[in-house]
Amino acid sequence: MGSQPIQTFSVEEQRRRHLNMEDATSQLEMAQWVLNSPDPPGLLQELGSSVREIIFPHGKKHTSSTARPKQQSRAMEFLQGVFPILRWGRDYKASMFKNDLMAGLTLASLSIPQSIGYANLAKLDPQYGLYTSVIPPLIYAIMGSSREIAIGPVAVVSMLLSSMIGKIQDPLADPVAYRNFVFTVTLFAGTFQAIFGLFRLGFLVDFLSHASTVGFMGGAAIVIGLQQLKGLLGISHFTTKTDVVSVLHSAFTSIDHPWSPLNFVLGCSFLIFLLIARFIGRRNKKLFWFPAIAPLVSVILSTLIVFLTKADKHGVKIVRHVKGGLNRSSVHDLQLSGPQVGQAAKIGLISAIVALTEAIAVGRSFASIKGYHIDGNKEMLALGFMNIAGSLSSCYVATGSFSRTAVNFSAGCQTLVSNIVMSITVLVSLEVFTRLLYYTPTAILASIILSALPGLVDIRGAYYIWKVDKLDFIACIGAFFGVLFASVEIGLLAAVTISFARILLNTIRPGIEALGRLPRADVYCDMNQYPMAIKTPGILAVRINSALLCFANANFIRERILRWVTEEVNEIKESNERGIQAVILDVSNVINIDTAGILALEELHKELLIHEAQLAIANPKWQVIHKLRLAKFIDRIGRGWIFLTVSEAVDACVSSKLTALANC
């Protein structure tokens, strides 16, 4: 009777040991999964995979069993990847065309006057704005994936081109050379956009963050608005600079020179009409068509007023000649040789990034409302080929317009056929109605541009950025004041620099968390965020919150960990307890490591050995474990000190510590 409890305890002890052996075997097996993972794909393989992903978006699934149908299927998949119209065009119905037709006609009524105004802003003849609303929308309709986006010239890009190119080529002294330079810049912009899409370099556009874009657009809108004082006042001589100080100085000094009050009265009257139409359209969604046709109505009415009253004889400035007809070829106008090619490429790169940022932001905004997703890289490819084709057909840089896209969306567009309808309507206008624009006052073009600017100033968005992230707000303000008081390129440079500095700051000084186990759980979390987390005695578990362990942050991370180890040793030096016996690095957030990062780990390992502590690695990513194998670092610390999770690493370190105490 007395021996029964002893026998039961022995069975329980054997069962516990058996379970511990099973756990140890399982941990060793999982550690082998980490150590024996296959080599990751090389750079060329990743590049090839990216290109295949763009061209064949649906992978390698084919329903055909024979070789020839399979080749045909892959060919069709390739064509559908490059030309999405082949995919959605098969399901296009007549009922959808009715909506697209009405949306396209409504869009054209807004695009015609806006295109003329934006061409004036870009310091080009009016017809070039109309040309830009013909060819680029057609190309995008074939290659684009957004259903609602409206393609054409926009205010910010128009001002960007005139401000940057005007410093190199004077549009008044030599308008032909200026125009040819614009076409060359457009070719470079389209080429860069296509390259970004083909090689999946969309992250370059992300350097112009949302906060930077809000500030940049707001500053540009104010500058564009002030520049319209020339058209409203009928001033002949006006500054070509874009900073607010120069523009205001030019406006005030020009008042002493001859100017036409009739221009001001006419422009302000129709500006009030356009703003009222915009207000009515926002208050009543059913009247979306009213602000859309208001610019065209303004052009027609103002042209009639000037024609009937002979106001052009009394100081009202008019557009005069607008060349009609189809887009002419500009292949022979491109300047691809000479000392200015490098400057054209630089302006093309900046224009490409700004145009892409606006188009992708507009496309994604309306796609989220409709509940579908657009591929940013495919959009870049479509926009790139669109602008390349435009540069060969007398167009300048085109992109997605927020105001026209909103009209297109409100008009009930179903597909990109609305862009095709708009393009054909503009083309018909070029053939038939351009002669009627002779008496159109330039003050109306200024008022049309001014009426579109409130949509670019996002005060609510700036307040939201300030409330959520102060560093983002600094980028927003930097871009805003850079554009406002310096120039467009300075504003862009300030925005990108501040955004890039923030990335560098987070990379150079990444977050390093001391981990503890949550009560009644096998989860290890940041002890500062979760004060109830329990620290394992003698073990320091650390998580590195950085995507890269590289030359920029490796020494900072090593020194921070060693400082924690030293502080721990100093705290318990007076007691008989041992200090840190193991340091566990949770590298689950680290996706890559360079030679400087590996060297820092080796130095950390040597320093820990001096303190009689062991280094363990938990959950290394594919590239990280591959490079640690190549550098023989795993052999230095021991293959038994690589773990799949922090929990397994802690258990192994505790078991090792108990074994060491038992041996003592």
Side-chain angles (χ1 to χ4, degrees):
M1 294 290 294
S3 62
Q4 187 67 28
I6 297 175
Q7 186 178 0
T8 303
F9 178 79
S10 177
V11 170
E12 289 296 326
E13 183 67 23
Q14 290 178 6
R15 180 174 175 271
R16 189 180 298 112
R17 289 182 178 179
H18 179 68
L19 291 175
N20 289 337
M21 290 177 64
E22 286 184 348
D23 291 341
T25 303
S26 177
Q27 289 179 3
L28 286 174
E29 184 181 3
M30 286 187 285
Q32 290 302 315
W33 295 346
V34 179
L35 291 168
N36 298 328
S37 58
D39 293 342
L43 181 61
L44 292 178
Q45 289 177 298
E46 289 185 350
L47 182 60
S49 177
S50 297
V51 174
R52 284 194 300 272
E53 188 175 340
I54 294 175
I55 298 174
F56 302 109
H58 301 293
K60 299 181 179 180
K61 295 181 181 179
H62 300 283
T63 56
S64 304
S65 57
T66 61
R68 187 166 182 178
K70 185 174 182 179
Q71 290 177 355
Q72 292 176 349
S73 177
R74 287 186 65 83
M76 179 54 66
E77 189 176 355
F78 168 78
L79 291 174
Q80 289 178 350
V82 177
F83 306 109
I85 192 172
L86 297 176
R87 183 179 301 113
W88 57 262
R90 293 181 301 179
D91 302 323
Y92 196 76
K93 299 176 182 177
S95 58
M96 300 168 69
F97 179 70
K98 179 183 177 182
N99 293 329
D100 285 335
L101 177 63
M102 294 304 299
L105 293 174
T106 307
L107 191 58
S109 68
L110 177 61
S111 295
I112 291 171
Q114 277 195 352
S115 298
I116 295 173
Y118 293 150
N120 186 47
L121 184 60
K123 294 184 171 58
L124 293 167
D125 292 335
Q127 65 268 18
Y128 294 106
L130 296 173
Y131 291 161
T132 307
S133 294
V134 175
I135 298 299
L138 289 176
I139 301 297
Y140 184 84
I142 297 171
M143 300 186 67
S145 57
S146 171
R147 303 171 195 165
E148 297 81 22
I149 196 167
I151 297 297
V154 296
V156 174
V157 175
S158 299
M159 187 195 71
L160 177 68
L161 293 174
S162 63
S163 63
M164 297 187 72
I165 298 176
K167 297 176 182 178
I168 302 169
Q169 193 71 57
D170 190 348
L172 297 177
D174 194 346
V176 174
Y178 176 84
R179 181 199 65 198
N180 295 343
F181 201 90
V182 170
F183 295 157
T184 307
V185 168
T186 303
L187 175 64
F188 278 112
T191 303
F192 281 122
Q193 289 171 337
I195 290 173
F196 291 164
L198 187 62
F199 294 101
R200 305 184 70 83
L201 300 177
F203 67 90
L204 295 175
V205 179
D206 293 334
F207 278 115
L208 196 61
S209 62
H210 170 69
S212 303
T213 304
V214 169
F216 172 76
M217 292 291 186
I222 293 175
V223 171
I224 292 170
L226 291 174
Q227 284 185 331
Q228 301 316 303
L229 291 173
K230 176 183 178 181
L232 282 178
L233 299 175
I235 300 172
S236 300
H237 301 286
F238 204 73
T239 181
T240 57
K241 296 181 180 179
T242 57
D243 62 284
V244 65
V245 176
S246 299
V247 173
L248 287 176
H249 179 266
S250 181
F252 285 124
T253 55
S254 297
I255 293 178
D256 297 332
H257 296 83
W259 62 285
S260 174
L262 289 177
N263 266 296
F264 184 74
V265 172
L266 193 65
C268 287
S269 300
F270 280 98
L271 176 60
I272 293 170
F273 166 69
L274 291 169
L275 292 176
I276 292 174
R278 180 187 178 91
F279 176 77
I280 293 173
R282 286 195 167 188
R283 291 294 298 269
N284 191 342
K285 298 299 182 183
K286 293 181 179 179
L287 296 176
F288 68 89
W289 53 268
F290 186 45
I293 67 169
L296 186 60
V297 171
S298 300
V299 169
I300 295 172
L301 290 179
S302 63
T303 302
L304 284 174
I305 290 172
V306 172
F307 174 73
L308 295 175
T309 62
K310 306 296 182 182
D312 58 308
K313 307 285 187 185
H314 302 282
V316 174
K317 294 187 177 296
I318 58 176
V319 173
R320 297 189 185 277
H321 181 66
V322 179
K323 185 178 179 180
L326 301 175
N327 291 44
R328 70 175 190 85
S329 173
S330 55
V331 175
H332 300 294
D333 296 333
L334 300 175
Q335 301 173 352
L336 300 178
S337 61
Q340 296 180 341
V341 174
Q343 293 173 315
K346 183 190 75 171
I347 299 173
L349 176 60
I350 296 173
S351 304
I353 292 175
V354 173
L356 283 175
T357 302
E358 184 168 359
I360 292 176
V362 170
R364 284 176 175 171
S365 297
F366 286 92
S368 63
I369 296 174
K370 285 287 189 73
Y372 70 96
H373 176 73
I374 62 174
D375 188 333
N377 291 294
K378 288 185 179 179
E379 286 295 286
M380 292 177 191
L381 203 62
L383 291 166
F385 280 104
M386 172 188 83
N387 279 313
I388 290 173
S391 70
L392 305 178
S393 54
S394 299
C395 305
Y396 71 96
V397 181
T399 187
S401 165
F402 185 84
S403 60
R404 293 196 293 275
T405 302
V407 168
N408 197 29
F409 176 82
S410 300
C413 75
Q414 297 294 313
T415 66
L416 287 169
V417 171
S418 62
N419 270 266
I420 299 175
V421 173
M422 182 267 292
S423 177
I424 295 173
T425 306
V426 175
L427 187 61
V428 172
S429 301
L430 275 166
E431 286 284 353
V432 179
F433 301 117
T434 50
R435 296 176 185 176
L436 303 178
L437 298 173
Y438 182 90
Y439 289 99
T440 301
T442 56
I444 292 303
L445 303 181
S447 64
I448 290 171
I449 293 174
L450 284 169
S451 67
L453 295 181
L456 296 178
V457 183
D458 190 0
I459 298 175
R460 185 176 299 176
Y463 174 72
Y464 172 80
I465 293 168
W466 161 259
K467 186 171 65 174
V468 174
D469 194 323
K470 301 299 186 291
L471 286 177
D472 255 3
F473 186 73
I474 293 174
C476 176
I477 289 298
F480 178 78
F481 286 116
V483 173
L484 207 59
F485 292 104
S487 63
V488 176
E489 52 266 42
I490 293 297
L492 283 172
L493 182 62
V496 173
T497 301
I498 294 172
S499 300
F500 193 65
R502 181 179 180 182
I503 295 172
L504 282 179
L505 183 64
N506 291 334
T507 303
I508 294 172
R509 300 181 66 85
I512 305 176
E513 304 170 353
L515 305 180
R517 183 178 60 81
L518 292 179
R520 300 179 299 279
D522 201 19
V523 179
Y524 284 78
C525 299
D526 181 12
M527 297 184 67
N528 291 324
Q529 184 178 358
Y530 300 95
M532 73 290 298
I534 303 167
K535 182 180 179 181
T536 305
I539 296 174
L540 175 63
V542 176
R543 177 184 294 137
I544 301 172
N545 286 329
S546 175
L548 297 174
L549 182 55
C550 59
F551 66 94
N553 58 23
N555 285 327
F556 172 80
I557 293 171
R558 177 181 60 83
E559 291 171 2
R560 175 65 67 86
I561 295 172
L562 288 176
R563 189 192 313 161
W564 282 349
V565 173
T566 304
E567 289 173 355
E568 186 94 8
V569 170
N570 293 334
E571 286 179 5
I572 63 173
K573 186 175 288 186
E574 297 179 358
S575 64
N576 294 326
E577 296 181 8
R578 294 185 63 187
I580 296 295
Q581 298 168 40
V583 173
I584 300 170
L585 287 185
D586 180 3
V587 292
S588 55
N589 294 329
V590 180
I591 61 175
N592 213 331
I593 188 172
D594 67 0
T595 53
I598 296 173
L599 182 61
L601 290 181
E602 291 176 349
E603 292 175 355
L604 176 63
H605 176 55
K606 292 176 183 177
E607 293 285 344
L608 291 177
L609 290 179
I610 295 174
H611 292 284
E612 298 182 354
Q614 176 63 44
L615 177 65
I617 306 291
N619 196 15
K621 296 295 185 185
W622 203 3
Q623 292 283 356
V624 175
I625 193 66
H626 174 64
K627 291 186 178 180
L628 292 182
R629 283 202 308 255
L630 293 177
K632 308 295 183 184
F633 178 75
I634 294 175
D635 297 332
R636 293 187 184 91
I637 67 171
R639 299 177 69 85
W641 294 102
I642 306 294
F643 301 94
L644 189 60
T645 65
V646 175
S647 176
E648 293 172 5
V650 171
D651 292 343
C653 291
V654 170
S655 300
S656 176
K657 183 171 69 172
L658 293 175
T659 302
L661 290 174
N663 293 334
C664 293

